[in-house]
């Protein structure tokens, strides 16, 4: 098994495979069965918790049942849709549309932003770290947004014209929402409101990933995005407004996440699971492909500040509920090695 990427093992872009009429499916993409079952099994629709953000921020813990809904969403699913978040729908539409337009540009134009070997950021396909790694049916553009001085603007598309400013505005607004969510999450566990924020830090790392799934001629043989949980504190996902594809694992069974075009999907990441000492679970999810329609999603990964020690919050450890996780620093580094082998990185920090 080889670790690290080289020019030699770089596969073709998924979009090129999709647009090649006589093309065959390269072996590396074939995946009919995962540790979670066959990819063709039929999957029911999820009754996803919906949280009204305006009620959450206006209410106090004792008086409002929005907190109870949040608590139940966090402990049972680790995921919920956020409505009344205050972000204009037109901004969300433009964010998605910019992503779609970028992927429609000629290959030569997109390649200006190509990801370098062994780098995460930029335009391209999955990083290939292992010979036996199964490839996913998605191309992406991956950008570091925060802290601002870490931005690598050479990877930020200049076309479509508003790509940069829309992403900047969207993430600026999300930063505030995510901090409010982290406070509310602490309150649902009877903790001081800054308990999660203290570990999250004042200079969180924020990445944006635009996932583009072209129509796939072999939907029964290929995964859109392999099963994983996010290595974040929280992920906010904007799904395609028409084409479904996201599925979540609940009690060992897959369920489909419904579309609500202007809701934000908040996902607990592994690091909030650790901080919460397992009270909140970071859900395993995947994306499936569609034989007729393309799909786009924009994931914003909110990760604690570099160097922060992440561990279970003291008040959540007692005789009845012992400490379940080690303390971890720079989780990102172990995350990708596990992820690309289809393993759960959080296993590495469990006690
Ligand atoms: O495309 C989707 O709906 C899922 C994206 C996702 O899970 C991710 O980017 O981590
Ligand atoms: Fe994810």
């Amino acid at each position: 098994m080889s670790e690290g990427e080289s020019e030699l093992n770089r596969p073709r872009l998924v979009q090129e495979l999709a647009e090649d009429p006589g093309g065959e499916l390269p072996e590396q993409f074939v995946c009919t069965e995962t540790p979670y079952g066959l990819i063709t099994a039929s999957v029911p629709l999820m009754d996803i918790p919906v949280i009204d953000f305006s009620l959450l921020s206006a209410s106090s813990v004792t008086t409002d049942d929005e907190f109870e809904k949040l608590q139940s969403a966090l402990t049972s699913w680790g995921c919920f849709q956020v409505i009344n978040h205050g972000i204009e729908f037109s901004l969300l539409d433009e964010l998605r549309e910019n992503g779609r337009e970028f992927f429609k540009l000629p290959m030569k134009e997109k390649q200006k932003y190509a990801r370098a070997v062994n780098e995460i950021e930029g335009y391209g396909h999955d990083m290939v770290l292992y010979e036996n790694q199964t490839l996913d049916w998605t191309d992406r553009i991956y950008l570091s947004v925060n802290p601002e001085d870490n931005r690598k603007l050479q990877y930020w598309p200049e076309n479509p014209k508003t790509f940069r400013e829309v992403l900047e505005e969207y993430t600026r607004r999300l930063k505030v929402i995510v901090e409010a969510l982290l406070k509310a999450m602490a309150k649902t566990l009877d903790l001081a409101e800054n308990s999660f924020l203290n570990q999250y830090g004042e200079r969180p790392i924020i990445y944006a990933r635009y996932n583009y799934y072209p129509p796939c001629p072999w939907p029964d043989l290929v995964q859109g995005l392999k099963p994983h949980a996010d290595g974040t504190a929280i992920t906010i996902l904007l799904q395609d407004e028409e084409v479904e594809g996201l599925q979540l694992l609940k009690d060992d069974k897959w369920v489909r996440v419904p579309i609500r075009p202007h809701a934000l999907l908040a996902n607990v990441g592994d690091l909030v699971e650790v901080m919460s000492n397992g009270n909140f679970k970071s859900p395993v999810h995947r994306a499936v492909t569609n034989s007729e329609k393309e799909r786009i999603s924009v994931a914003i990964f909110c990760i604690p500040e570099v160097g922060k020690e992440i561990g279970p919050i003291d008040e959540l450890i007692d005789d009845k509920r012992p400490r379940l996780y080690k303390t971890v620093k720079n989780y990102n580094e172990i995350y990708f090695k596990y992820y690309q082998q289809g393993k759960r990185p959080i296993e590495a920090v469990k006690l």
Side-chain angles (χ1 to χ4, degrees):
M1 196 172 352
S2 74
E3 261 191 47
E5 214 181 16
S6 79
E7 280 300 344
L8 295 174
N9 62 12
R10 300 194 98 184
R12 287 174 72 193
L13 286 147
V14 172
Q15 202 173 358
E16 289 178 333
L17 290 171
E19 286 166 8
D20 178 357
E24 287 186 11
L25 179 66
E27 194 61 32
Q28 275 177 300
F29 284 91
V30 178
C31 171
T32 48
E33 194 165 4
T34 74
Y36 307 99
L38 294 174
I39 70 166
T40 49
S42 92
V43 173
L45 199 64
M46 164 188 182
D47 187 13
I48 191 169
V50 177
I51 301 293
D52 183 329
F53 184 76
S54 67
L55 293 179
L56 205 59
S57 34
S59 61
S60 70
V61 197
T62 43
T63 55
D64 210 280
D65 65 6
E66 213 58 24
F67 274 100
E68 266 168 42
K69 268 166 67 186
L70 180 65
Q71 183 175 40
S72 138
L74 290 163
T75 51
S76 61
W77 292 97
C79 145
F80 50 94
Q81 278 176 334
V82 184
I83 58 165
N84 287 334
H85 42 63
I87 300 183
E88 297 76 23
F89 292 178
S90 56
L91 187 71
L92 302 179
D93 291 336
E94 205 175 352
L95 184 83
R96 265 187 296 239
E97 198 43 41
N98 280 350
R100 234 178 244 125
E101 274 184 35
F102 173 77
F103 287 103
K104 292 217 160 65
L105 293 173
M107 194 52 85
K108 206 166 154 227
E109 172 73 16
K110 287 184 293 216
Q111 290 293 8
K112 288 189 198 159
Y113 308 98
R115 179 173 75 70
V117 173
N118 280 314
E119 290 270 338
I120 283 189
E121 275 187 68
Y123 164 68
H125 46 66
D126 237 359
M127 255 184 137
V128 183
L129 297 181
Y130 298 96
E131 274 165 32
N132 58 353
Q133 182 180 323
T134 310
L135 299 185
D136 294 333
W137 192 261
T138 173
D139 294 334
R140 79 277 308 264
I141 181 153
Y142 205 111
L143 301 168
S144 164
V145 180
N146 243 42
E148 268 181 52
D149 40 2
N150 282 357
R151 286 185 193 173
K152 295 186 182 145
L153 283 181
Q154 71 266 31
Y155 293 123
W156 288 53
E158 286 168 298
N159 188 1
K161 285 277 169 291
T162 61
F163 187 101
R164 292 180 172 192
E165 70 195 69
V166 168
L167 176 59
E168 191 158 45
E169 174 66 5
Y170 177 59
T171 45
R172 196 175 63 75
R173 306 281 288 277
L174 274 193
K175 201 163 169 266
V176 180
I177 293 175
V178 165
E179 288 177 6
L181 285 176
L182 286 170
K183 283 187 185 170
M185 285 158 77
K187 288 201 223 162
T188 71
L189 293 171
D190 289 328
L191 297 168
E193 68 173 15
N194 283 337
S195 304
F196 287 107
L197 274 178
N198 289 342
Q199 296 198 35
Y200 185 63
E202 283 172 9
R203 276 168 60 86
I205 303 169
I206 297 181
Y207 282 108
R209 186 164 91 184
Y210 294 70
N211 298 302
Y212 176 66
Y213 308 90
C216 176
W218 308 277
D220 296 348
L221 296 177
V222 180
Q223 307 182 93
L225 199 59
K226 61 172 76 57
H228 67 283
D230 295 339
T232 56
I234 296 189
T235 303
I236 303 288
L237 188 76
L238 185 68
Q239 288 206 76
D240 197 288
E241 68 274 52
E242 272 175 25
V243 183
E244 240 185 54
L246 179 64
Q247 302 186 348
L248 208 101
L249 196 68
K250 165 89 163 128
D251 304 328
D252 293 328
K253 295 202 177 60
W254 290 108
V255 289
R256 282 148 48 214
V257 179
I259 290 178
R260 189 159 180 150
H262 297 105
L264 303 171
L265 185 78
N267 251 335
V268 168
D270 288 350
L271 294 176
V272 158
E273 176 171 329
V274 169
M275 292 179 212
S276 77
N277 199 27
N279 281 292
F280 303 155
K281 289 281 184 284
S282 108
V284 171
H285 52 281
R286 68 176 181 185
V288 296
T289 59
N290 187 302
S291 59
E292 275 142 41
K293 295 180 179 155
E294 64 175 17
R295 175 169 180 269
I296 187 130
S297 68
V298 185
I300 303 294
F301 300 121
C302 303
I303 300 168
E305 184 175 326
V306 173
K308 280 272 180 191
E309 295 221 326
I310 306 299
I313 292 165
D314 283 343
E315 290 86 334
L316 299 175
I317 305 171
D318 58 28
D319 293 343
K320 277 203 236 104
R321 192 170 184 96
R323 180 187 242 272
L324 297 179
Y325 307 86
K326 299 177 209 164
T327 299
V328 55
K329 241 187 185 184
N330 300 337
Y331 185 62
N332 238 1
E333 288 166 14
I334 50 171
Y335 184 83
F336 282 101
K337 290 189 187 159
Y338 274 71
Y339 170 80
Q340 294 301 19
Q341 296 183 89
K343 293 194 213 157
R344 285 211 64 185
I346 201 161
E347 294 301 327
V349 296
K350 279 194 180 151
L351 280 170

